[in-house]
Amino acid sequence: MRVRALLVALTALLLTACGPDKPAETFTFTAIPDQDESHLVERFGRIAEYLQDKLGVPVKYVPVKSYPAAVTAFRNGEVQMAWFGGLSGVQARRLVPGSQAIAQGQEDAAFKSYFIANTGTGLQRGDTLPDAFIDQPSFTFGDKGSTSGRLMPEYYFRERFGDAPQKLIGKVGFSGDHNRTLALVQSGAYATGVLNYKVWDRAMQAGEIDTDKVTIVWETPSYPDYHWTVRGDLDERFGEGFTAKVTDTLLGIYDPQLLSVFPREKFIPSSHQDYRPIEQTAADIGLLHSTRPPASIAISHLPAPPPRPSPKTS
């Protein structure tokens, strides 16, 4: 009896020393806040549920308030994955060695932006931005760090008019996201603006656009944009092959209802190389200080912009 009691006590002591089984680490991800919160909660809440079911670990979506906050959370390791735009993804990967772009929507390989105007301006849709665009009193981008709401529109604006909007238009603002840009131009608070085409198309389908008040003036050539990026330490934290598992899980989303909340037809493979033009463009217009050799894909490989207007005469 004494020996048995001693064995029981020893077993209890060992269990106490070892403690309970360590719970599985939570896989966290975030996304740039490019739309209003209700859209983001619907989109990424459902993605979190899907990932948790497929990956076999707890998964949590962590919302952030700004584009820089998404990059910072990724840099600091507060999240292991993020849904970035082209520019924010480049910024994040430059800050976190070993991180990689793994997937993008099929449409994101050839994204575009719409320049829009309040109908009170009299501006009409055409093959290029009209000369009268810079005669308008106000213009709004989306977020300062947005690829489709600032970076690429500014690139094409500069190519068209020879200078930045701030130098040519009296009032230039940053709405913060694409939904606000649409609302501000539709209401007349800003005469013109620019937003990503997906937000416009979704709002049009939902009956949220009054075409008597706002119209598309010009759509940009295509460029690469939104994508999923992961940190380089996933396999170390979650086990060998976890990065590949996450990638395969995203590429394996076939549920039309789940894809419709993005909205995307499907996800396709992606890599950092796809975003070299974005990186070079950002550096060329002063939005990204280069800390690496010039990109192998230069800005000249972007679609050709429309011709500049002839000089105005008084």
Side-chain angles (χ1 to χ4, degrees), residues 50-164:
Y50 171 82
L51 289 173
Q52 182 164 298
D53 179 60
K54 298 296 183 181
L55 297 176
V57 298
V59 176
K60 181 180 180 181
Y61 162 57
V62 180
V64 291
K65 295 296 185 181
S66 68
Y67 282 54
V71 174
T72 298
F74 187 82
R75 179 195 66 192
N76 293 344
E78 297 167 24
V79 298
Q80 291 83 52
M81 182 174 74
W83 175 248
F84 284 128
L87 176 58
S88 52
V90 165
Q91 292 170 329
R93 289 190 296 277
R94 286 162 65 97
L95 292 169
V96 184
S99 58
Q100 55 185 303
I102 58 171
Q104 62 182 173
Q106 179 172 268
E107 298 84 347
D108 297 309
F111 214 74
K112 57 188 176 181
S113 301
Y114 288 158
F115 280 82
I116 61 174
N118 186 276
T119 53
T121 64
L123 296 175
Q124 301 292 320
R125 186 166 186 164
D127 295 332
T128 186
L129 285 172
D131 292 358
F133 195 88
I134 58 175
D135 295 333
Q136 304 309 312
S138 57
F139 169 78
T140 183
F141 288 113
D143 189 277
K144 291 182 179 180
S146 172
T147 304
S148 56
R150 195 275 175 89
L151 173 65
M152 296 313 300
E154 180 163 341
Y155 165 68
Y156 287 117
F157 184 100
R158 289 186 184 213
E159 285 296 316
R160 176 70 172 95
F161 296 113
D163 214 334

Side-chain angles (χ1 to χ4, degrees), residues 177-198:
D177 68 53
H178 303 289
N179 295 102
R180 288 197 194 97
T181 294
L182 176 56
L184 289 169
V185 177
Q186 182 163 269
S187 71
Y190 278 83
T192 59
V194 66
L195 76 166
N196 92 43
Y197 83 106
K198 281 288 184 183

Side-chain angles (χ1 to χ4, degrees), residues 3-303:
V3 173
R4 184 178 178 184
L6 184 60
L7 288 174
V8 170
L10 183 58
T11 300
L13 182 61
L14 288 172
L15 288 173
T16 301
C18 294
D21 290 342
K22 183 180 179 181
E25 184 173 1
T26 299
F27 179 62
T28 58
F29 72 97
T30 193
I32 52 172
D34 62 337
Q35 296 187 59
D36 61 63
E37 189 174 351
S38 63
H39 282 115
L40 298 177
V41 169
E42 177 186 13
R43 175 187 295 179
F44 297 109
R46 293 177 66 178
I47 285 292
E49 293 176 1
Y50 171 82
L51 289 173
Q52 182 164 298
D53 179 60
K54 298 296 183 181
L55 297 176
V57 298
V59 176
K60 181 180 180 181
Y61 162 57
V62 180
V64 291
K65 295 296 185 181
S66 68
Y67 282 54
V71 174
T72 298
F74 187 82
R75 179 195 66 192
N76 293 344
E78 297 167 24
V79 298
Q80 291 83 52
M81 182 174 74
W83 175 248
F84 284 128
L87 176 58
S88 52
V90 165
Q91 292 170 329
R93 289 190 296 277
R94 286 162 65 97
L95 292 169
V96 184
S99 58
Q100 55 185 303
I102 58 171
Q104 62 182 173
Q106 179 172 268
E107 298 84 347
D108 297 309
F111 214 74
K112 57 188 176 181
S113 301
Y114 288 158
F115 280 82
I116 61 174
N118 186 276
T119 53
T121 64
L123 296 175
Q124 301 292 320
R125 186 166 186 164
D127 295 332
T128 186
L129 285 172
D131 292 358
F133 195 88
I134 58 175
D135 295 333
Q136 304 309 312
S138 57
F139 169 78
T140 183
F141 288 113
D143 189 277
K144 291 182 179 180
S146 172
T147 304
S148 56
R150 195 275 175 89
L151 173 65
M152 296 313 300
E154 180 163 341
Y155 165 68
Y156 287 117
F157 184 100
R158 289 186 184 213
E159 285 296 316
R160 176 70 172 95
F161 296 113
D163 214 334
Q166 290 86 343
K167 300 288 185 66
L168 301 174
I169 298 175
K171 178 184 177 183
V172 175
F174 292 91
S175 70
D177 68 53
H178 303 289
N179 295 102
R180 288 197 194 97
T181 294
L182 176 56
L184 289 169
V185 177
Q186 182 163 269
S187 71
Y190 278 83
T192 59
V194 66
L195 76 166
N196 92 43
Y197 83 106
K198 281 288 184 183
V199 172
W200 173 280
D201 290 352
R202 168 181 268 189
M204 182 66 77
Q205 291 173 1
E208 298 169 355
I209 295 178
D210 185 343
T211 54
D212 289 332
K213 295 181 179 179
V214 62
T215 187
I216 297 170
V217 177
W218 181 62
E219 68 177 60
T220 68
S222 61
Y223 52 84
D225 200 353
Y226 292 86
H227 57 287
W228 292 103
T229 287
V230 294
R231 289 176 57 90
D233 58 358
L234 287 195
D235 288 6
E236 180 182 340
R237 295 182 62 170
F238 294 92
E240 189 67 30
F242 192 78
T243 300
K245 189 174 183 179
V246 171
T247 303
D248 291 343
T249 299
L250 291 170
L251 297 178
I253 299 177
Y254 299 113
D255 181 356
Q257 291 188 337
L258 188 55
L259 289 167
S260 69
V261 301
F262 272 84
R264 300 292 189 274
E265 287 295 321
K266 64 178 180 178
F267 287 105
I268 61 176
S270 180
S271 71
H272 181 71
Q273 189 68 20
D274 297 331
Y275 296 89
R276 293 293 192 185
I278 295 296
E279 186 171 20
Q280 190 65 52
T281 302
D284 284 357
I285 67 174
L287 296 182
L288 191 68
H289 297 294
S290 181
T291 59
R292 56 177 64 180
S296 59
I297 302 177
I299 195 169
S300 60
H301 287 245
L302 286 165

